[in-house]
Amino acid sequence: MDQVTNVPWTRKHDDPRVPLFSSVPRIVYPQSLEELRELCRNPDGTERFAAAGSHWSLSKGAISDHTFIETHDPSERHPALGRTLHTVLPNGLSDKLLKTMGEDRTGERGSLVHIESGKRIYQAYSELEIVDPLDNPTTLAGYLCANYHDNRSYAGPFAFHTLGGAGGQTVVGAFSTGTHGGDFTLPPLADGVQAIHLVADGGEHYWFEPEHSDWGPPLTDDDKLAALYPDIRIRRSNEAFRAVLVSAGRLGVIYSVVLHVVPQYALREHRVLSRWETVKHLIKDPDSSLYQGDEGGCRFLQIAVCITPFLVDSNLVGVTRRWNRPPDGQPGRVERVGELLDLGRTDPTIQAPRFSRAGRCHHYVPDDDHPERAADPDPLARACVAGSFLVNVLDVVVQEIEDFVTSSGTVIGAGIAAVAVPGAGAVGAGLLALLAPFALIVAAIRGVLEAVDPDIRLGELFDKIREVLLFPGFTPNNIAGVFVWRLIVYYAFSKEQGEQDYVALSYAVMDKHDYLSVNCEVNVDSIEVFFDADGDELVAFIDALLNYEAAQEHLGRAYVGYASLRFTGKSSALLGPQRWQRSCAIEVACLRDVSGSQELFDYAVKLALNPNFGGVLHWGQRNDSSALDIAHAFGKARLADPFTSDLAEWRKVLADVTDNGRRLGFSNAFSRQTGLEVI
């Protein structure tokens, strides 16, 4: 079996200078179901495992006590479990389901795809773009065409019903840790799963599916499935399936999943700048203008909050909404997926065909005037490649401050006018008293820019600027420095979250990640905390962070990162953090390089776990929850059955696959910390 021993192990968002672990005992790269089962047999019960895929997770749930199972090696030196499978589809499906699908000639409800657990999201949505030629009855679309009166409605292309904000995670890693959906009218990513093939400690393998598929009839047939996978243990149960959907790796390692995919669609995205104090009172009202936009009810809402204030107690926000559009003729495929390489032959490293741009491009940027430049990076993407974005912002700010100083306050740039507190005159007498400190600040920033290493990380450059601007106290130098710091952030945020309006294919809009980034998303800390969007706690949570930042800037520290509110429907998963019909996922992420970022971030973690706020943390990002926190979030008695809870039902499934807790192969420090154990 492909494996290495006593080697470093780290994650995408850790400090690249120092691996998270300088040496781990064993990393194994299984390449088939058979190898995975053999690895997990664990005859003496002493081996300890944890599965990982893309290493995008910041959770300790992927950290093993001993042996790391890699379904997708991030460096791609070892083959991934990345195949698209054509065994269960169609050969294991129930006759009733095949008949239901075959007799539906509209195909409006979508189709099914069966993939191994190491396939990344961007690889999956690229493959879903391929139209089936319908000449091979071993594919589901080919089978339905051949056996149901030339039904050609399942040829594709298809798409995910919803996505988070990036496609670099493996599909399984994303849904099994409770990754948010991107649409408040739809449940999250996990709810598109139709079946899960799990390998547990001891090498036993299980097929979990609900009692009925999304089409009505059961997904598979027991006899057909057993013929494909001898000695498989079939669990066709709504409750058991809801348990295994989100399990943070504790139940075992997922080998494969069947997904419900929908016909490809396009999205219109419209973004405008606003202010937190303008929008926060509208969040609780689903009929408010916040959920409408300029053409009525939308499907997606995001509120990106600038933690750094301007004016007095005012914070910028970028408000993004999306609406469905027909996919025909819409851009995005060329820029985000590209061409199918090597005539579609399987690349042995990812066990799938390669696409020229999937996972190898900047995020999609529309350019109506110059369509040929649509794939060029925007300023923030350029910052992540070479640090030039912040340098350009600093040049603008320095010139604006310099003009203000040399004109004795008569030349007032747009940024100064926006950030300054109105008073006597156009910008207030207070700023005129800071002319001398402003002159010193201009010289200091120019000195930093002249000495900066062109390969410096964005966070490191921000921290160097913080050092010359922010000092403890309320002296003129401090007040001037805080003002310029806020001016810099104001310009940077305004460029990043400025007005935008375009239409593109679903994944080109939903996958916002820049895969050529080299210095923006390293040495990062990130949490995602879920709240009831109809409650008051989420607004109070954001307000507390804003107040913390406003105070710490006068202590010489500052936060560089973001807080982003995304809204999603309720998940059916027992341990899904989307607990409410309208759930709000607040992602708080920071660049650790900047003094003050980690302080505010740690404060956010404490608030999230405070019972007065009642937040639920995402399993796949930093999660400091204790067993008591998890019991509070998932262990409350059900209204329909006061003698059980979601957590209790989840533990029943854990007991089923672990011999009532005797097999501890997938127990690790995180599962013990959070109480994901049989008790």
Side-chain angles (χ1 to χ4, degrees), residues 276 305-309 313 315 470 474 482 485-486 539-560 563 588 590 594-607 613:
W276 174 242
V305 183
C306 181
I307 300 295
T308 303
D313 298 328
N315 292 78
L470 303 183
F474 284 87
V482 168
W485 175 265
R486 293 178 177 182
V539 170
F541 179 80
I542 293 294
D543 282 343
L545 300 186
L546 302 183
N547 291 334
Y548 187 100
E549 174 63 14
Q552 79 161 350
E553 289 177 3
H554 290 284
L555 301 175
R557 304 191 304 264
Y559 177 84
V560 174
V588 182
C590 73
V594 185
S595 177
S597 287
Q598 193 69 57
E599 288 83 349
L600 184 143
F601 181 87
D602 291 342
Y603 176 68
V605 173
K606 290 179 181 178
L607 285 183
F613 283 90

Side-chain angles (χ1 to χ4, degrees), residues 240-264:
F241 181 71
R242 293 175 63 205
V244 76
L245 267 180
V246 174
S247 59
R250 179 58 185 92
L251 297 177
V253 55
I254 293 174
Y255 165 65
S256 69
V257 293
V258 177
L259 304 173
H260 180 182
V261 293
V262 300
Q264 183 60 272

Side-chain angles (χ1 to χ4, degrees), residues 400-401 403-404 410-419 427 487 491:
E400 193 166 315
I401 294 293
D403 291 344
F404 181 76
T410 60
V411 176
I412 302 165
I416 292 176
V419 175
V427 297
L487 181 59
Y491 266 118

Side-chain angles (χ1 to χ4, degrees), residues 242-570:
R242 293 175 63 205
V244 76
L245 267 180
V246 174
S247 59
R250 179 58 185 92
L251 297 177
V253 55
I254 293 174
Y255 165 65
S256 69
V257 293
V258 177
L259 304 173
H260 180 182
V261 293
V262 300
Q264 183 60 272
Y265 56 97
L267 292 168
R268 177 201 173 198
E269 176 169 294
H270 183 218
R271 186 178 66 210
V272 295
L273 276 172
S274 186
R275 297 185 183 184
W276 174 242
E277 61 271 24
T278 300
V279 304
K280 68 179 185 179
H281 304 295
L282 303 175
I283 291 174
K284 288 177 60 176
D285 182 4
D287 297 320
S288 73
S289 59
L290 198 56
Y291 298 89
Q292 302 298 317
D294 59 2
E295 60 171 285
C298 57
R299 61 175 273 168
F300 172 92
L301 173 65
Q302 174 181 285
I303 305 171
V305 183
C306 181
I307 300 295
T308 303
F310 75 108
L311 296 176
V312 175
D313 298 328
S314 189
N315 292 78
L316 286 174
V317 296
V319 179
T320 303
R321 305 176 182 90
R322 293 175 189 157
W323 297 262
N324 281 80
R325 288 288 187 273
D328 296 343
Q330 299 298 352
R333 188 186 195 283
V334 171
E335 300 84 357
R336 210 62 168 129
V337 172
E339 299 298 322
L340 185 62
L341 299 176
D342 199 21
L343 300 177
R345 293 189 180 93
T346 296
D347 184 322
T349 305
I350 61 172
Q351 301 293 334
R354 287 273 190 188
F355 297 83
S356 61
R357 297 188 66 82
R360 305 177 181 183
C361 58
H362 297 294
H363 59 272
Y364 177 77
V365 177
D367 190 335
D368 294 336
D369 296 327
H370 303 280
E372 74 282 0
R373 297 205 320 247
D376 289 347
D378 68 9
L380 186 65
R382 288 196 295 273
C384 293
V385 174
S388 62
F389 168 67
L390 182 56
V391 172
N392 292 338
V393 169
L394 291 172
D395 285 340
V396 172
V397 169
V398 165
Q399 188 61 57
E400 193 166 315
I401 294 293
E402 198 168 56
D403 291 344
F404 181 76
V405 171
T406 57
S407 69
S408 298
T410 60
V411 176
I412 302 165
I416 292 176
V419 175
V421 179
V427 297
L431 282 188
L432 298 178
L434 301 176
L435 291 176
F438 281 154
L440 295 174
I441 285 171
V442 166
I445 294 177
R446 290 197 186 281
V448 170
L449 293 177
E450 290 172 1
V452 72
D453 183 337
D455 294 325
I456 192 171
R457 296 204 302 262
L458 185 65
E460 293 174 318
L461 180 53
F462 258 114
D463 199 52
K464 288 184 178 295
I465 298 300
R466 178 202 59 79
E467 288 177 344
V468 303
L469 292 181
L470 303 183
F471 306 93
F474 284 87
T475 65
N477 284 346
N478 168 269
I479 295 171
V482 168
F483 179 86
V484 175
W485 175 265
R486 293 178 177 182
L487 181 59
I488 292 168
V489 176
Y490 176 87
Y491 266 118
F493 188 87
S494 297
K495 286 180 177 292
E496 180 191 350
Q497 291 290 321
E499 185 164 348
Q500 187 166 264
D501 195 351
Y502 70 99
V503 177
L505 291 174
S506 61
Y507 52 81
V509 177
M510 292 189 288
D511 182 358
K512 294 296 188 183
H513 187 69
D514 176 9
Y515 296 100
L516 300 182
S517 168
V518 296
N519 65 6
C520 271
E521 296 181 345
V522 293
N523 204 20
V524 168
D525 219 343
S526 176
I527 62 166
E528 198 162 81
V529 54
F530 290 80
F531 292 103
D532 182 355
D534 295 324
D536 297 320
E537 292 81 5
L538 71 91
V539 170
F541 179 80
I542 293 294
D543 282 343
L545 300 186
L546 302 183
N547 291 334
Y548 187 100
E549 174 63 14
Q552 79 161 350
E553 289 177 3
H554 290 284
L555 301 175
R557 304 191 304 264
Y559 177 84
V560 174
Y562 62 86
S564 182
L565 288 69
R566 303 181 187 95
F567 298 81
T568 183
K570 179 177 169 52

